Amino acid sequence: MAIHITQIGKYKFACGLFWQSLSRPRELVKEAAELARKIDSDLMVLRKDHATAQAGFAHSREGASRATYSLGAAVSKTLALEGANYDGQKQTAHNWLGAFKLADGMWAYFAVRDANFLPNGDFAGSKEEVLERLQGDYGLGGWNVVIGEAELADYGFHNFNPRKIEDLIPRKKCGEIRVHAWWALRPVKTTIAWKPAAAIGSLSIVLAGAGYLYWQHLKQEEQRRQFALEAARQKSAGAAALPHPWRSLPVPASLAQACFNKFSHLTAGGWQLDDYSCNVNSASYSWSRQDSTIDFLRVQVPAAQVDLSGNKASFAEPLKTSSGQDETLLDIKNILEPLASRLQLMHIAAKIAKVPSPPENPAGQPKDAPKPDWESYTFAFNSGALPPSEVARILGQPGIRLNKLSYHGGNWSFEGVMYAKLP
């Protein structure tokens, strides 16, 4: 994350620190110094708000120095003390976004979740760059308030508080800035040498990838075995229908929640998220490097796969979901029209197509072989910034199952199948 130095009054403030949460309350400085060595930083600042502790990191080669104060630390402390106006009252805000114009023409951007800065939630750039980040993060949902320049009110952010950056820096009675020593970047004093561990890291990636592929193989084999047992059971009982596929698939709310719970590497080490994709078996990410480094990425996602250029990376991990239920299906009219109507109210256009019925007597099948007692329709749509949990509630109807959720550029998209009883 590139450091940007800006002048406010007679003091220099830095934007663009790389933030990491700390977990050892009695050894905050030691823990922060260890992290600094891993990511090649020689300056840091510590902040504590609402019983959380974080360290922000920078490097002197980017223009930062001991005479520089962290703008993010100053602003977050003011908001922690003063709170913000939302839901009809002034109260503490643990989840907020901020975008502010600086005196030098650049814009500062902050993203705080659960009272902690996101790893690259401290950023300075052009107005266009900051608005792109703001709208992308806002689309994730769950923010108490958006704070920033009055001109942003036209973008329709809920619980918007118009404030300038100057309003969020404490002042003396005479109007001068009241700085606090703990805002200042401090040098990382420990000098323990770092030993390369590339070979071990590479081996761990290979082993992790192999383990994941083997896990997928075992899961597929178990699914085949279960389907074979079910088919044999129905055959021995003289069943006249095939196993219902929706019974083995998670309901939309279950898959959406599992996918959203895995959605935790938005800005891994300052890398920009290109795509996030999730299905019943796995969740996967792809990133672009931007101004960050591979070391920064490794701190957040040690098993990430980096391509030969060093500018693209990916990561996949298994997803655990529970099976659905064998609910009684509705006919297509009673399942499709209410769903389409609710989506239309939110200006969402869904692509829906009927899955062709299998041939009456496929080659090799006996004439009395069981036939499906249902028909299938695929659907796909983009919900924009609407959170997956909200979409899952809309899809919570008998016979509707999600196959895939994707996130790209602040927008969520969904693919799935509707099972309806035969007319």
Side-chain angles (χ1 to χ4, degrees):
M1 183 62 62
I3 297 296
H4 176 72
I5 308 298
T6 189
Q7 187 93 14
I8 302 179
K10 60 182 180 180
Y11 300 98
K12 291 183 178 180
F13 287 86
C15 296
L17 273 62
F18 176 67
W19 291 93
Q20 290 286 279
S21 298
L22 304 176
S23 58
R24 289 146 47 187
R26 297 182 181 180
E27 298 181 309
L28 295 180
V29 175
K30 181 180 179 181
E31 183 182 2
E34 291 172 355
L35 285 171
R37 290 196 302 273
K38 292 180 181 179
I39 60 177
D40 187 29
S41 292
D42 62 358
L43 294 169
M44 65 183 186
V45 63
L46 301 180
R47 62 176 290 268
K48 291 188 288 185
D49 282 334
H50 303 296
T52 66
Q54 275 192 300
F57 299 101
H59 203 290
S60 56
R61 64 171 172 257
E62 296 180 319
S65 69
R66 296 180 63 176
T68 308
Y69 297 92
S70 166
L71 187 59
V75 170
S76 64
K77 176 55 74 173
T78 298
L79 284 172
L81 294 173
E82 296 183 0
N85 293 307
Y86 65 98
D87 295 341
Q89 59 182 319
K90 193 168 188 177
Q91 54 188 311
T92 301
H94 290 138
N95 304 286
W96 57 271
L97 299 171
F100 309 93
K101 187 176 181 179
L102 302 175
D104 56 14
M106 297 285 279
W107 282 60
Y109 174 76
F110 304 112
V112 172
R113 176 77 79 173
D114 297 325
N116 286 313
F117 280 102
L118 295 180
N120 69 341
D122 179 351
F123 164 72
S126 66
K127 180 180 179 180
E128 292 73 20
E129 291 172 326
V130 167
L131 286 179
E132 183 179 356
R133 278 288 310 278
L134 173 61
Q135 291 171 322
D137 288 345
Y138 180 79
L140 300 175
W143 307 103
N144 300 134
V145 64
V146 176
I147 305 167
E149 300 294 323
E151 64 189 83
L152 301 182
D154 295 336
Y155 288 85
F157 300 118
H158 77 293
N159 294 327
F160 178 72
N161 285 205
R163 299 190 72 176
K164 293 182 175 295
I165 194 69
E166 292 80 6
D167 301 334
L168 297 173
I169 299 178
R171 304 275 174 168
K172 301 177 183 178
K173 290 183 178 180
C174 64
E176 292 183 0
I177 293 176
R178 182 189 300 277
V179 298
H180 294 274
W182 68 268
W183 297 352
L185 297 178
R186 66 170 78 174
V188 178
K189 296 179 180 179
T190 52
T191 57
I192 300 174
W194 176 76
K195 297 181 179 180
I200 296 176
S202 298
L203 179 59
S204 66
I205 293 171
V206 172
L207 292 176
Y212 172 62
L213 291 175
Y214 183 62
W215 177 87
Q216 276 194 319
H217 170 72
L218 291 179
K219 187 170 183 177
Q220 291 170 352
E221 288 298 319
E222 176 62 19
Q223 289 177 336
R224 293 191 189 99
R225 190 177 71 84
Q226 291 295 335
F227 278 123
L229 289 174
E230 177 66 14
R233 185 192 67 78
Q234 290 194 6
K235 183 176 180 180
S236 63
L242 294 172
H244 294 161
W246 58 91
R247 186 175 66 177
S248 62
L249 299 173
V251 296
S254 176
L255 182 60
Q257 187 62 53
C259 289
F260 195 72
N261 289 344
K262 288 289 186 181
F263 190 46
S264 56
H265 301 304
L266 283 74
T267 53
W271 286 53
Q272 177 179 295
L273 180 67
D274 293 332
D275 292 288
Y276 171 74
S277 178
C278 179
N279 56 41
V280 294
N281 294 319
S282 66
S284 59
Y285 301 81
S286 62
W287 302 276
S288 295
R289 185 176 63 83
Q290 301 300 303
D291 295 324
S292 188
T293 67
I294 295 174
D295 286 341
F296 279 19
L297 174 65
R298 291 275 187 239
V299 171
Q300 293 287 305
V301 190
Q305 301 276 3
V306 181
D307 72 1
L308 294 178
S309 72
N311 294 320
K312 296 287 186 179
S314 61
F315 173 66
E317 56 184 329
L319 190 75
K320 185 177 181 181
T321 57
S322 56
S323 298
Q325 52 189 345
D326 196 9
E327 65 260 46
T328 301
L329 299 181
L330 305 173
D331 59 58
I332 189 59
K333 175 179 170 54
N334 288 322
I335 191 173
L336 176 58
E337 291 186 3
L339 173 62
S341 181
R342 294 191 66 182
L343 293 176
Q344 288 167 353
L345 285 173
M346 294 179 291
H347 306 288
I348 296 174
K351 295 180 180 179
I352 299 173
K354 184 176 181 180
V355 178
S357 301
E360 285 293 326
N361 291 298
Q365 283 276 21
K367 291 184 178 181
D368 59 348
K371 298 177 176 60
D373 58 356
W374 68 89
E375 55 184 359
S376 307
Y377 297 79
T378 61
F379 65 85
F381 59 83
N382 187 317
S383 70
L386 194 66
S389 58
E390 295 295 325
V391 175
R393 276 195 281 270
I394 296 171
L395 298 177
Q397 303 296 324
I400 297 182
R401 295 293 187 266
L402 278 174
N403 292 336
K404 181 180 178 182
L405 284 73
S406 302
Y407 178 85
H408 176 77
N411 297 312
W412 287 96
S413 58
F414 300 80
E415 298 176 21
V417 181
M418 293 185 294
Y419 298 97
K421 68 179 181 181
L422 288 172

